[in-house]
Amino acid sequence: MGGHGGLNIIPKKSWNVYGRDNRERVKRDEAEAEERRREKEKEKVQEERDARWQKLSKQQQRKGADEGGEREEGHVNLFEREEREERRTRYSQANQAAGKECRRQQLDESHRFARTCQGGGETSKPWYARAGTSLEQQQGKPSLSLPARLRREREEVEVARQQKRGGAAPVD
């Protein structure tokens, strides 16, 4: 009984990819797909050819109409070229005016910024760069360093305690 003999049923199954019928079906399907691709390519080329032909025929009709022939349809504008040039010059003048306005605004912005930062006056400096903007200086008190302020606050608290007790205040 041993060995690898036994049942070999795969060649009999319809889903076997190595079966002759399936290989022939794959070849046939691939050939059909290639034929469809070729036909689509031919149709695409023909459509492009037709589009180019239509474009060339329209150009030829316009050229014949510009040379003195009559157009079959539409309005005949005798001043088309002049109107086109007029629109072009008007458009370029508007662009130039807008460009000048934009440059003027940029210069104004840059000068305004430069005046506020380089003016030299107290109001021209930003708040963090101004000297003497502490609350004490605004109230007329001299500005002190942190240790000096802490020392002064302790002394004021001590004076208040002495006054509460009814004792004499220390002399400075």
Side-chain angles (χ1 to χ4, degrees):
M1 267 228 206
H4 296 315
L7 298 172
N8 190 5
I9 59 171
I10 290 183
K12 295 179 178 9
K13 298 294 181 179
S14 63
W15 46 261
N16 181 15
V17 294
Y18 297 108
R20 184 173 18 108
D21 294 340
N22 284 338
R23 286 184 292 186
E24 289 174 1
R25 184 182 314 146
V26 168
K27 285 181 184 178
R28 186 182 66 236
D29 290 346
E30 286 177 349
E32 288 175 3
E34 182 66 24
E35 184 65 29
R36 282 194 304 264
R37 187 191 63 78
R38 285 184 187 146
E39 292 212 12
K40 284 183 182 179
E41 185 69 28
K42 284 181 184 179
E43 289 175 5
K44 182 180 175 185
V45 168
Q46 184 64 33
E47 288 175 3
E48 290 174 356
R49 187 179 301 142
D50 291 341
R52 285 193 306 265
W53 176 257
Q54 291 290 331
K55 184 178 176 182
L56 287 173
S57 64
K58 285 181 182 179
Q59 286 178 354
Q60 187 66 26
Q61 287 176 356
R62 282 192 213 126
K63 189 175 180 182
D66 289 344
E67 291 176 355
E70 290 189 28
R71 284 189 182 174
E72 296 174 7
E73 63 199 50
H75 171 71
V76 176
N77 188 357
L78 299 176
F79 302 102
E80 184 177 359
R81 186 178 305 136
E82 289 81 7
E83 288 175 355
R84 203 176 317 127
E85 290 175 11
E86 171 80 23
R87 274 184 260 138
R88 194 177 302 133
T89 56
R90 210 177 304 145
Y91 179 73
S92 65
Q93 288 172 353
N95 280 345
Q96 288 174 356
K100 287 179 184 177
E101 179 67 23
C102 183
R103 284 191 293 276
R104 187 182 63 75
Q105 286 177 353
Q106 288 173 349
L107 287 174
D108 287 349
E109 290 292 320
S110 66
H111 289 305
R112 183 168 51 112
F113 182 70
R115 282 194 302 269
T116 58
C117 291
Q118 300 171 357
E122 286 297 317
T123 59
S124 66
K125 292 182 181 177
W127 63 270
Y128 52 84
R130 292 184 196 142
T133 57
S134 67
L135 184 60
E136 291 90 12
Q137 286 185 349
Q138 289 175 0
Q139 294 173 351
K141 298 178 183 176
S143 177
L144 300 173
S145 66
L146 181 63
R149 277 185 283 174
L150 292 173
R151 195 176 318 115
R152 187 183 69 205
E153 288 174 7
R154 284 191 202 125
E155 289 173 357
E156 289 173 357
V157 169
E158 188 63 34
V159 168
R161 282 187 193 155
Q162 290 291 331
Q163 288 176 351
K164 261 189 180 177
R165 290 185 196 154
V171 179
D172 288 334

